[in-house]
Amino acid sequence: MTFNHSIIENSHIINNQSNNNNEENLINIHNLDKNLSSMSLNENIPNIDSHNVDSINNLKTLTNSTNSTISSTISSNVSSNVSSNVSSRQNSIYRHNHCHNQKPLNVSNAHIVNNLNEYEFDNLPDANDISLPNHFINDINEISIDIGGSLAKMVYFTKDSKLNNGVRINFYKIETDKISQFIEFIKKTITELIQVNNNKYQITLIATGGGSHKYYNMLTNELTYLNCKIQKEDEMQCLIIGMDFFITGIKNEIFYYDDVNNKYVEIDCENESFNETIESNDSNQLISSVYPYLLVNIGSGVSMIRVTGPNEGNFERVGGSSLGGGTLWGLLSILTDCNSFDEMLEMASNGNNENVDLLVGDIYGMSYDKIGLKSNHIASSMGKVFKEVIDKNDKNDETKLSRVERLNKFNQKDIARSLLYAVSYNIGQIAYLQAQRYNLKKIYFAGSYIRNHNQTIRTLSFAINFWSNGEKKAYFLNHEGYLGAMGAFLMRRNE
């Protein structure tokens, strides 16, 4: 029997179960009663209301403490001219080097807001806010959007009501086919920002993504009465700038899945051992610790970008795949009763792919240790379906099943789990090959496909570990779906 090289492990689901210990480097995922005590991961996931899936998966925290992201603080005047050869938290003022006239942000003591008590509303946000306690709201007269093929995302700033000064970076997303609802939210946000700034500034909407072109006229017509200026920016450049901000400007934004200890580990890009130890302020040392890396951005499709440095032009799209989030969404829209991507992820979390996938053990009755294949490795995704439907029932017209009857022979949850594995493992393998091609040690996965979903993260992590024989890790971001929108906000100001 000849196997396809996409044979992968049939890993099991992770559960988030309360734990009384605040273990260092353990990401906690709050449960339905909003308990923020630490949580470990085991093999059985509880049933979760689909309305809360994003909030539950996104509100991950290491501890309730919000430590300083830097050792010293300078003036909070973000208009000050800070000279630096590298985008970083250096001098507390974040500036990227991908274009001139950038939007600077004071990131002194910046942190992800993990404590639920610091939110003033009942509905949890799509992604945790980021607090910038030393940046002032009167410096903000922009909002930014990233309209993709499946989702429209927005980054906007509000005054932090928990602090005398300071702002919150807020995140919002909605399906792109609900563009009218998205525009209404934009108008509401612009109106509130105008009021906060006493109508002193013209508001700029910085737009990126394919939808910034497709819906440009619609946005212009809808926002004219607000005297809002629309500024379009390049999608790929915004993506890299947003990535740069999150991994160098925000502490504990990055995390990975530790398979050995069955837990998530949050890391700080400037301090963690996966980077070279930085013992001075030498910008060359900082550059070598962050770059190069491969960014795998998974949206409707997949783009893989090699990033070699912090300056303009230091990135290149080296590959991708048409099999991405849109593929999974499309197939499960036909094969299941789910009405949203979040429902599909929840369904996949509770499925058993062994009922539809053909495993190595199904063929050999055991592992194939000689070539490193375990009995629970997947030999063929959805490989049992044909035998179950055709071999047993459709050999003659009398027993032939209708399409509905065929679907009813399988649990929708099992199908969802199988297809999630198929798409994710395929992306993971291609990402590994691109990293090998360019000798890149770090592989970051981002994009709205991931949704901080446990099984997706674990699947991509296993794929990288499997193909690299444990030499590489898959890294993820807490705000993985907002790279483009965040990068758009930080782009050049029109002069």
Side-chain angles (χ1 to χ4, degrees):
M1 175 67 67
T2 301
F3 291 98
N4 185 297
H5 283 291
S6 62
I7 294 174
I8 38 73
E9 183 179 22
N10 170 33
S11 31
H12 297 287
I13 195 158
I14 305 171
N15 173 39
N16 316 310
Q17 185 177 23
S18 293
N19 185 318
N20 291 325
N21 298 320
N22 274 329
E23 294 180 63
E24 184 179 6
N25 292 333
L26 173 62
I27 293 180
N28 303 315
I29 304 173
H30 75 77
N31 56 18
L32 290 179
D33 64 0
K34 298 180 181 179
N35 182 354
L36 280 178
S37 61
S38 299
M39 299 177 183
S40 62
L41 305 172
N42 60 38
E43 293 300 315
N44 298 306
I45 194 166
N47 293 322
I48 298 172
D49 185 340
S50 62
H51 179 74
N52 293 319
V53 168
D54 261 351
S55 303
I56 291 168
N57 288 332
N58 279 305
L59 281 172
K60 297 188 293 188
T61 177
L62 190 60
T63 65
N64 289 334
S65 63
T66 51
N67 295 325
S68 171
T69 60
I70 55 174
S71 59
S72 62
T73 303
I74 66 169
S75 169
S76 60
N77 179 5
V78 297
S79 299
S80 61
N81 183 19
V82 179
S83 176
S84 173
N85 293 322
V86 61
S87 308
S88 71
R89 293 189 297 243
Q90 184 179 357
N91 297 323
S92 303
I93 303 296
Y94 175 85
R95 288 179 183 269
H96 65 81
N97 297 310
H98 290 271
C99 62
H100 69 283
N101 198 23
Q102 322 93 318
K103 178 71 176 183
L105 290 177
N106 189 323
V107 294
S108 172
N109 299 313
H111 60 273
I112 300 172
V113 181
N114 291 312
N115 190 339
L116 292 180
N117 295 325
E118 295 188 40
Y119 292 91
E120 292 187 328
F121 38 82
D122 294 331
N123 293 326
L124 300 174
D126 290 323
N128 286 14
D129 295 349
I130 292 176
S131 175
L132 303 181
N134 294 290
H135 198 102
F136 296 109
I137 190 65
N138 58 10
D139 179 69
I140 304 296
N141 61 333
E142 305 92 4
I143 64 174
S144 57
I145 60 174
D146 175 12
I147 307 178
S150 300
L151 291 173
K153 290 81 66 177
M154 186 167 88
V155 168
Y156 62 103
F157 284 57
T158 56
K159 188 177 185 305
D160 195 332
S161 61
K162 299 294 182 180
L163 302 171
N164 293 329
N165 297 308
V167 297
R168 291 275 190 94
I169 306 177
N170 309 114
F171 305 90
Y172 173 80
K173 73 172 183 291
I174 195 171
E175 289 86 354
T176 301
D177 58 10
K178 298 178 181 177
I179 190 66
S180 295
Q181 187 175 336
F182 184 60
I183 291 177
E184 287 303 313
F185 189 81
I186 293 174
K187 290 194 281 189
K188 174 178 177 291
T189 305
I190 291 175
T191 301
E192 292 173 352
L193 190 57
I194 290 173
Q195 292 172 350
V196 168
N197 288 330
N198 298 317
N199 204 25
K200 291 180 180 179
Y201 311 105
Q202 181 186 34
I203 304 300
T204 300
L205 175 68
I206 310 164
T208 190
S212 66
H213 302 278
K214 181 177 181 179
Y215 298 107
Y216 179 79
N217 291 335
M218 185 177 182
L219 288 165
T220 301
N221 294 335
E222 291 286 340
L223 301 178
T224 297
Y225 79 97
L226 291 171
N227 189 30
C228 176
K229 178 174 63 177
I230 300 177
Q231 175 181 323
K232 290 187 292 185
E233 295 293 351
D234 178 72
E235 179 179 5
M236 202 63 65
Q237 188 172 24
C238 288
L239 188 71
I240 300 306
I241 293 172
M243 176 69 179
D244 182 272
F245 171 76
F246 284 125
I247 68 174
T248 64
I250 305 301
K251 186 176 182 178
N252 294 334
E253 173 68 29
I254 307 166
F255 66 95
Y256 64 87
Y257 172 66
D258 180 356
D259 182 62
V260 175
N261 297 301
N262 198 30
K263 66 179 183 181
Y264 292 110
V265 179
E266 284 186 340
I267 57 180
D268 181 2
C269 188
E270 291 190 6
N271 298 327
E272 194 62 23
S273 60
F274 86 109
N275 287 320
E276 297 173 11
T277 301
I278 302 169
E279 298 178 350
S280 71
N281 290 325
D282 186 338
S283 63
N284 290 327
Q285 284 184 294
L286 182 56
I287 290 172
S288 65
S289 74
V290 177
Y291 309 96
Y293 62 80
L294 181 72
L295 171 60
V296 182
N297 192 55
I298 315 172
S300 298
V302 185
S303 284
M304 299 183 184
I305 306 147
R306 177 173 63 116
V307 183
T308 56
N311 300 314
E312 186 173 7
N314 287 164
F315 64 89
E316 174 190 13
R317 186 182 187 276
V318 295
S321 175
S322 62
L323 303 181
T327 307
L328 183 64
W329 197 338
L331 289 173
L332 293 182
S333 296
I334 295 174
L335 299 174
T336 72
D337 297 327
C338 292
N339 294 313
S340 72
F341 195 67
D342 291 325
E343 287 183 26
M344 295 172 189
L345 292 179
E346 182 188 3
M347 181 175 282
S349 294
N350 293 284
N352 182 358
N353 66 298
E354 294 184 7
N355 294 326
V356 292
D357 288 345
L358 188 67
L359 309 182
V360 171
D362 295 323
I363 300 171
Y364 281 89
M366 64 181 78
S367 298
Y368 192 170
D369 295 327
K370 186 176 181 179
I371 57 175
L373 299 178
K374 298 179 181 179
S375 62
N376 66 342
H377 283 184
I378 300 173
S380 175
S381 297
M382 301 286 287
K384 289 179 181 175
V385 173
F386 178 85
K387 290 186 176 182
E388 184 68 26
V389 171
I390 303 299
D391 286 359
K392 293 184 179 181
N393 298 283
D394 282 8
K395 291 187 177 180
N396 57 65
D397 292 336
E398 294 180 0
T399 60
K400 188 171 292 185
L401 300 176
S402 67
R403 186 175 68 88
V404 174
E405 289 173 327
R406 291 182 179 187
L407 286 174
N408 288 339
K409 289 181 70 64
F410 303 96
N411 190 314
Q412 293 184 14
K413 296 177 182 179
D414 300 340
I415 293 174
R417 183 67 163 264
S418 173
L419 291 178
L420 175 67
Y421 279 170
V423 172
S424 299
Y425 281 130
N426 182 65
I427 293 170
Q429 184 181 8
I430 297 173
Y432 162 73
L433 293 173
Q434 292 290 1
Q436 283 294 96
R437 178 185 178 192
Y438 292 101
N439 193 28
L440 304 173
K441 295 180 180 179
K442 301 189 193 73
I443 305 173
Y444 292 97
F445 289 91
S448 296
Y449 171 80
I450 299 171
R451 305 285 185 98
N452 275 315
H453 179 246
N454 298 325
Q455 203 57 49
T456 305
I457 291 170
R458 187 172 180 180
T459 304
L460 291 168
S461 298
F462 175 82
I464 297 302
N465 183 72
F466 179 83
W467 292 109
S468 70
N469 292 318
E471 294 181 1
K472 299 182 188 298
K473 279 192 181 76
Y475 294 102
F476 302 88
L477 291 85
N478 284 297
H479 297 88
E480 82 286 280
Y482 294 92
L483 272 61
M486 190 70 232
F489 182 88
L490 293 165
M491 276 296 293
R492 66 176 66 83
R493 309 298 97 186
N494 279 342
E495 300 175 70

